[in-house]
Amino acid sequence: MDKPIFLVGFMGSGKTTWGKKIANALEMPFVDLDHEIVANIGMTIPEYFKAYGEESFRKLENEYLKKQAARIAIISTGGGTPCYYDNIDWINENGLSLYLYHTSKSLWSRLSQSDVNKRPVLKGLTGEELFEFIDSKLKEREPFYERAHIKFEQIHTPLEQIIELIKNYEAK
């Protein structure tokens, strides 16, 4: 692979976990875009959201995304990354994009079991309220995610098949 592979999908879809597995299988470095941002701004993303707001974060995220152009790596993006500015177009022009697809119910199940307070947009949401937020936000973001080069259902797709999808796309 001679360009970066970007993983896109909703928060909690497994981008970091799968990114590490794919990076290992393809013997490529792994980069978590959110971790890159946190390492450079000296605060967590929830702290940044609280101090400067979402719009400021999205601008920062866009800058850090575009710094990845020269990296030959597997790059896990934030759940909203492809949905702002020209990010999904930029991702598709500068690399290969993989969409880790989940249903709203699947995402709700996964996110219900995590610490939602670590995710600024989910803070304080539980049960039906959390499901409604996920369902609404997923419908809003899915048109961007669907523009990825490759889409796979994360729960039912083994690593070997994902690697095959990448290699087949690369061979086109």
Side-chain angles (χ1 to χ4, degrees):
M1 192 73 184
D2 60 352
K3 56 186 173 182
I5 297 174
F6 295 93
L7 301 181
V8 301
F10 203 77
M11 67 184 95
S13 64
K15 296 179 300 288
T16 299
T17 300
W18 279 98
K20 290 175 182 176
K21 290 179 182 180
I22 294 167
N24 189 42
L26 294 175
E27 298 179 350
M28 293 173 69
F30 172 74
V31 175
D32 184 305
L33 193 60
D34 284 347
H35 292 160
E36 289 270 306
I37 294 168
V38 167
N40 284 284
I41 63 174
M43 64 177 74
T44 67
I45 292 172
E47 289 168 342
Y48 192 93
F49 259 65
K50 189 174 182 180
Y52 303 103
E54 183 175 6
E55 180 62 28
S56 178
F57 175 75
R58 296 301 175 191
K59 287 178 183 169
L60 185 67
E61 182 180 54
N62 178 265
E63 291 171 28
Y64 277 85
L65 173 67
K66 293 186 175 171
K67 289 179 182 179
Q68 307 308 312
R71 277 190 149 151
I72 308 302
I74 307 298
I75 301 167
S76 170
T77 65
T81 306
C83 310
Y84 293 88
Y85 304 104
D86 62 345
N87 289 351
I88 191 63
D89 294 329
W90 186 90
I91 286 168
N92 286 337
E93 289 165 13
N94 291 278
L96 175 65
S97 55
L98 305 180
Y99 170 30
L100 284 72
Y101 169 78
H102 281 271
T103 64
S104 298
K105 187 174 182 179
S106 168
L107 289 164
W108 175 79
S109 177
R110 294 167 66 91
L111 289 166
S112 292
Q113 296 169 28
S114 70
D115 180 2
V116 294
N117 292 321
K118 288 184 180 175
R119 300 175 187 273
V121 297
L122 299 183
K123 197 168 181 80
L125 299 178
T126 58
E128 185 65 28
E129 194 178 36
L130 177 61
F131 177 80
E132 287 174 12
F133 175 84
I134 291 166
D135 191 53
S136 170
K137 197 57 108 169
L138 181 60
K139 285 178 179 145
E140 178 186 306
R141 291 179 173 183
E142 214 156 26
F144 297 95
Y145 299 154
E146 290 282 348
R147 291 168 53 197
H149 295 118
I150 297 170
K151 172 184 174 179
F152 65 92
E153 193 172 337
Q154 186 264 320
I155 294 174
H156 299 107
T157 310
L159 178 61
E160 298 75 27
Q161 189 177 346
I162 297 166
I163 300 305
E164 195 65 31
L165 288 168
I166 292 168
K167 289 182 177 177
N168 288 341
Y169 193 89
E170 201 177 31
K172 286 183 185 178

